[in-house]
PDB file of all heavy atoms in Angstrom:
ATOM      1  N   TYR A 310     -22.974 -23.087 -18.855  1.00  0.00           N
ATOM      2  CA  TYR A 310     -22.121 -23.248 -17.770  1.00  0.00           C
ATOM      3  C   TYR A 310     -22.963 -23.428 -16.441  1.00  0.00           C
ATOM      4  O   TYR A 310     -22.484 -23.129 -15.397  1.00  0.00           O
ATOM      5  CB  TYR A 310     -21.019 -22.205 -17.586  1.00  0.00           C
ATOM      6  CG  TYR A 310     -19.892 -22.412 -18.470  1.00  0.00           C
ATOM      7  CD1 TYR A 310     -19.869 -22.288 -19.774  1.00  0.00           C
ATOM      8  CD2 TYR A 310     -18.545 -22.639 -17.802  1.00  0.00           C
ATOM      9  CE1 TYR A 310     -18.775 -22.461 -20.648  1.00  0.00           C
ATOM     10  CE2 TYR A 310     -17.492 -22.949 -18.612  1.00  0.00           C
ATOM     11  CZ  TYR A 310     -17.588 -22.811 -19.943  1.00  0.00           C
ATOM     12  OH  TYR A 310     -16.396 -23.068 -20.792  1.00  0.00           O
ATOM     13  N   GLY A 311     -24.242 -23.884 -16.574  1.00  0.00           N
ATOM     14  CA  GLY A 311     -24.991 -24.178 -15.308  1.00  0.00           C
ATOM     15  C   GLY A 311     -26.030 -23.205 -15.120  1.00  0.00           C
ATOM     16  O   GLY A 311     -27.011 -23.358 -14.307  1.00  0.00           O
ATOM     17  N   ALA A 312     -26.095 -21.988 -15.726  1.00  0.00           N
ATOM     18  CA  ALA A 312     -27.219 -21.028 -15.451  1.00  0.00           C
ATOM     19  C   ALA A 312     -28.422 -21.357 -16.329  1.00  0.00           C
ATOM     20  O   ALA A 312     -28.338 -21.726 -17.427  1.00  0.00           O
ATOM     21  CB  ALA A 312     -26.672 -19.543 -15.837  1.00  0.00           C
ATOM     22  N   ASP A 313     -29.558 -21.322 -15.629  1.00  0.00           N
ATOM     23  CA  ASP A 313     -30.766 -21.433 -16.399  1.00  0.00           C
ATOM     24  C   ASP A 313     -31.751 -20.325 -16.326  1.00  0.00           C
ATOM     25  O   ASP A 313     -32.881 -20.412 -16.695  1.00  0.00           O
ATOM     26  CB  ASP A 313     -31.537 -22.802 -15.827  1.00  0.00           C
ATOM     27  CG  ASP A 313     -31.946 -22.498 -14.422  1.00  0.00           C
ATOM     28  OD1 ASP A 313     -31.158 -22.743 -13.452  1.00  0.00           O
ATOM     29  OD2 ASP A 313     -33.106 -22.161 -14.154  1.00  0.00           O
ATOM     30  N   ASP A 314     -31.255 -19.215 -15.706  1.00  0.00           N
ATOM     31  CA  ASP A 314     -31.988 -18.084 -15.563  1.00  0.00           C
ATOM     32  C   ASP A 314     -31.217 -16.900 -15.899  1.00  0.00           C
ATOM     33  O   ASP A 314     -30.021 -16.750 -15.452  1.00  0.00           O
ATOM     34  CB  ASP A 314     -32.473 -18.000 -14.036  1.00  0.00           C
ATOM     35  CG  ASP A 314     -33.517 -16.821 -13.928  1.00  0.00           C
ATOM     36  OD1 ASP A 314     -33.323 -15.731 -14.330  1.00  0.00           O
ATOM     37  OD2 ASP A 314     -34.529 -17.091 -13.131  1.00  0.00           O
ATOM     38  N   ALA A 315     -31.765 -16.055 -16.703  1.00  0.00           N
ATOM     39  CA  ALA A 315     -31.006 -14.851 -17.183  1.00  0.00           C
ATOM     40  C   ALA A 315     -31.511 -13.526 -16.482  1.00  0.00           C
ATOM     41  O   ALA A 315     -31.257 -12.481 -16.922  1.00  0.00           O
ATOM     42  CB  ALA A 315     -31.116 -14.558 -18.698  1.00  0.00           C
ATOM     43  N   ASP A 316     -32.182 -13.682 -15.384  1.00  0.00           N
ATOM     44  CA  ASP A 316     -32.785 -12.614 -14.568  1.00  0.00           C
ATOM     45  C   ASP A 316     -33.854 -11.843 -15.435  1.00  0.00           C
ATOM     46  O   ASP A 316     -34.795 -12.532 -15.993  1.00  0.00           O
ATOM     47  CB  ASP A 316     -31.670 -11.555 -14.145  1.00  0.00           C
ATOM     48  CG  ASP A 316     -32.317 -10.624 -13.040  1.00  0.00           C
ATOM     49  OD1 ASP A 316     -32.715 -11.184 -11.989  1.00  0.00           O
ATOM     50  OD2 ASP A 316     -32.393  -9.419 -13.295  1.00  0.00           O
ATOM     51  N   GLY A 317     -33.916 -10.531 -15.327  1.00  0.00           N
ATOM     52  CA  GLY A 317     -35.124  -9.865 -15.843  1.00  0.00           C
ATOM     53  C   GLY A 317     -34.738  -8.799 -16.713  1.00  0.00           C
ATOM     54  O   GLY A 317     -33.697  -8.361 -17.156  1.00  0.00           O
ATOM     55  N   THR A 318     -35.934  -7.980 -17.118  1.00  0.00           N
ATOM     56  CA  THR A 318     -35.848  -6.926 -18.004  1.00  0.00           C
ATOM     57  C   THR A 318     -35.318  -5.635 -17.280  1.00  0.00           C
ATOM     58  O   THR A 318     -34.702  -4.755 -17.906  1.00  0.00           O
ATOM     59  CB  THR A 318     -37.158  -6.692 -18.565  1.00  0.00           C
ATOM     60  OG1 THR A 318     -38.217  -6.676 -17.597  1.00  0.00           O
ATOM     61  CG2 THR A 318     -37.463  -7.666 -19.611  1.00  0.00           C
ATOM     62  N   VAL A 319     -35.520  -5.640 -16.011  1.00  0.00           N
ATOM     63  CA  VAL A 319     -34.804  -4.583 -15.108  1.00  0.00           C
ATOM     64  C   VAL A 319     -34.896  -3.166 -15.554  1.00  0.00           C
ATOM     65  O   VAL A 319     -34.058  -2.809 -16.310  1.00  0.00           O
ATOM     66  CB  VAL A 319     -33.295  -4.981 -14.774  1.00  0.00           C
ATOM     67  CG1 VAL A 319     -32.700  -3.999 -13.817  1.00  0.00           C
ATOM     68  CG2 VAL A 319     -33.171  -6.472 -14.417  1.00  0.00           C
ATOM     69  N   PHE A 320     -35.731  -2.441 -14.903  1.00  0.00           N
ATOM     70  CA  PHE A 320     -35.712  -1.015 -15.036  1.00  0.00           C
ATOM     71  C   PHE A 320     -35.192  -0.280 -13.857  1.00  0.00           C
ATOM     72  O   PHE A 320     -35.465  -0.762 -12.828  1.00  0.00           O
ATOM     73  CB  PHE A 320     -37.128  -0.451 -15.397  1.00  0.00           C
ATOM     74  CG  PHE A 320     -37.775  -1.012 -16.552  1.00  0.00           C
ATOM     75  CD1 PHE A 320     -38.636  -1.917 -16.504  1.00  0.00           C
ATOM     76  CD2 PHE A 320     -37.349  -0.464 -17.815  1.00  0.00           C
ATOM     77  CE1 PHE A 320     -39.075  -2.539 -17.704  1.00  0.00           C
ATOM     78  CE2 PHE A 320     -37.818  -0.903 -18.982  1.00  0.00           C
ATOM     79  CZ  PHE A 320     -38.765  -2.128 -18.906  1.00  0.00           C
ATOM     80  N   GLU A 321     -34.305   0.661 -14.088  1.00  0.00           N
ATOM     81  CA  GLU A 321     -33.969   1.576 -12.954  1.00  0.00           C
ATOM     82  C   GLU A 321     -32.873   0.952 -12.068  1.00  0.00           C
ATOM     83  O   GLU A 321     -33.048   1.160 -10.832  1.00  0.00           O
ATOM     84  CB  GLU A 321     -35.111   2.203 -12.221  1.00  0.00           C
ATOM     85  CG  GLU A 321     -36.255   2.754 -13.051  1.00  0.00           C
ATOM     86  CD  GLU A 321     -35.870   4.023 -13.700  1.00  0.00           C
ATOM     87  OE1 GLU A 321     -34.859   4.602 -13.308  1.00  0.00           O
ATOM     88  OE2 GLU A 321     -36.664   4.351 -14.595  1.00  0.00           O
ATOM     89  N   TYR A 322     -32.136   0.123 -12.521  1.00  0.00           N
ATOM     90  CA  TYR A 322     -31.134  -0.553 -11.533  1.00  0.00           C
ATOM     91  C   TYR A 322     -29.920   0.450 -11.221  1.00  0.00           C
ATOM     92  O   TYR A 322     -29.443   0.990 -12.163  1.00  0.00           O
ATOM     93  CB  TYR A 322     -30.518  -1.834 -12.198  1.00  0.00           C
ATOM     94  CG  TYR A 322     -29.680  -2.486 -11.279  1.00  0.00           C
ATOM     95  CD1 TYR A 322     -30.245  -3.379 -10.286  1.00  0.00           C
ATOM     96  CD2 TYR A 322     -28.213  -2.602 -11.364  1.00  0.00           C
ATOM     97  CE1 TYR A 322     -29.429  -3.978  -9.359  1.00  0.00           C
ATOM     98  CE2 TYR A 322     -27.435  -3.282 -10.458  1.00  0.00           C
ATOM     99  CZ  TYR A 322     -28.088  -3.978  -9.471  1.00  0.00           C
ATOM    100  OH  TYR A 322     -27.373  -4.765  -8.554  1.00  0.00           O
ATOM    101  N   GLU A 323     -29.613   0.639 -10.022  1.00  0.00           N
ATOM    102  CA  GLU A 323     -28.719   1.716  -9.614  1.00  0.00           C
ATOM    103  C   GLU A 323     -27.635   1.155  -8.711  1.00  0.00           C
ATOM    104  O   GLU A 323     -26.787   1.908  -8.253  1.00  0.00           O
ATOM    105  CB  GLU A 323     -29.520   2.794  -8.824  1.00  0.00           C
ATOM    106  CG  GLU A 323     -30.573   3.465  -9.657  1.00  0.00           C
ATOM    107  CD  GLU A 323     -31.336   4.491  -8.973  1.00  0.00           C
ATOM    108  OE1 GLU A 323     -30.834   5.000  -8.031  1.00  0.00           O
ATOM    109  OE2 GLU A 323     -32.559   4.742  -9.416  1.00  0.00           O
ATOM    110  N   ILE A 324     -27.585  -0.015  -8.481  1.00  0.00           N
ATOM    111  CA  ILE A 324     -26.485  -0.599  -7.527  1.00  0.00           C
ATOM    112  C   ILE A 324     -25.097  -0.515  -8.200  1.00  0.00           C
ATOM    113  O   ILE A 324     -24.171  -0.250  -7.552  1.00  0.00           O
ATOM    114  CB  ILE A 324     -26.811  -2.023  -7.111  1.00  0.00           C
ATOM    115  CG1 ILE A 324     -28.392  -2.043  -6.498  1.00  0.00           C
ATOM    116  CG2 ILE A 324     -25.859  -2.516  -5.977  1.00  0.00           C
ATOM    117  CD1 ILE A 324     -28.475  -1.420  -5.130  1.00  0.00           C
TER     118      ILE A 324
END
Side-chain angles (χ1 to χ4, degrees):
Y310 274 70
D313 62 278
D314 188 315
D316 194 63
T318 46
V319 186
F320 296 103
E321 312 290 344
Y322 188 73
E323 298 176 25
I324 305 291

